[in-house]
Amino acid sequence: MTDARGSAGPNSDTPARHAPGAPCWVSLMVHSPDATEEFYGALFGWEFQPGPQQLGPYVRALLDGREVAGVGGLPPDRHLPIAWTPYFASENVDLTAEAVRSRGGTIGVGPLDAADAGRMAIGSDPSGAVFGIWQAAAHLGTTVAGVPGTPAWNELLTYESAGVAKFYRTVFGYEEEPVVSADFDYVTLQLGGRPVAGIHGLGHALPRDRGPHWVTYFQVADADDALDHLVHLGGQILKPVHDTAHGRVAHVSDPEGARFALLQRPS
């Protein structure tokens, strides 16, 4: 994991359009949207307003009136993994979807229009990790970063980094910065020299029940307080809080099992 800030800071009046390839949104599809809204509203201070309904009931989470993330409802008969999905910005979703297919990935949803908000697709990389593609129109994506309650980083947990990093590089135009280490397989994806996401190869240590998947880190003011709050709200601690070079981190899940991480940045 490393440092990455969004394209619009907490003091910015006019949200900036996310650069192509930049993480621009995170979305969660669940079976109990009302309970999920209650959980994240209490944990992060989010409020909610209706969003596009192309894929079913959907709300946007707001922090101080600024858009942060999305939560949607799954049909009762859809037994999909409950997981946070990062979306990467594109100037042309249809062309990006073609690139995904030609590089060995798949497109499972779309491309399709989300009312006047923009155009989207949901795909997976060659290892099976799911991600979204977003072509902004009225909805630019996440419009605040660097404060508690906002996405701070997205990290792909997969078997090995090199092959899948090549996929993301050729689809989105990233530069790569590998960690030179015999026992730590990690590649940071960069745009214009700025880190935007990470790929962590875990080999056989990757959880078999999940397979390759993206993890979103959300910033918190105090990791220990946030963990206590999360457990009280019905969430689970998967990996206790620990110190890293980039702050205090804990891996957790919400009451429906969606995994994510909490990040307390160094003071």
Side-chain angles (χ1 to χ4, degrees), residues 49-68:
Q49 69 177 23
Q53 309 292 307
Q54 268 66 18
L55 299 178
Y58 194 80
V59 295
R60 291 178 183 150
L62 307 178
L63 189 65
D64 296 326
R66 306 287 288 277
E67 295 176 336
V68 174

Side-chain angles (χ1 to χ4, degrees), residues 1-5 152-155 177 186-190 194-198 217 245-246 263 265:
M1 199 202 124
T2 186
D3 187 65
R5 301 299 172 98
W153 185 247
N154 289 287
E155 188 169 271
E177 184 182 343
Y186 199 97
V187 171
T188 300
L189 301 177
Q190 299 185 331
R194 185 175 72 92
V196 294
Y217 288 67
H246 307 285
L263 168 66
R265 292 199 182 276

Side-chain angles (χ1 to χ4, degrees), residues 29 45 55 119 136 154 157 161 166 184 196 206 220 224 232:
M29 302 296 289
L55 299 178
R119 190 163 171 80
N154 289 287
L157 304 184
S161 67
K166 181 180 179 181
F184 189 62
V196 294
L206 187 73
V220 294
D224 296 287
H232 177 74

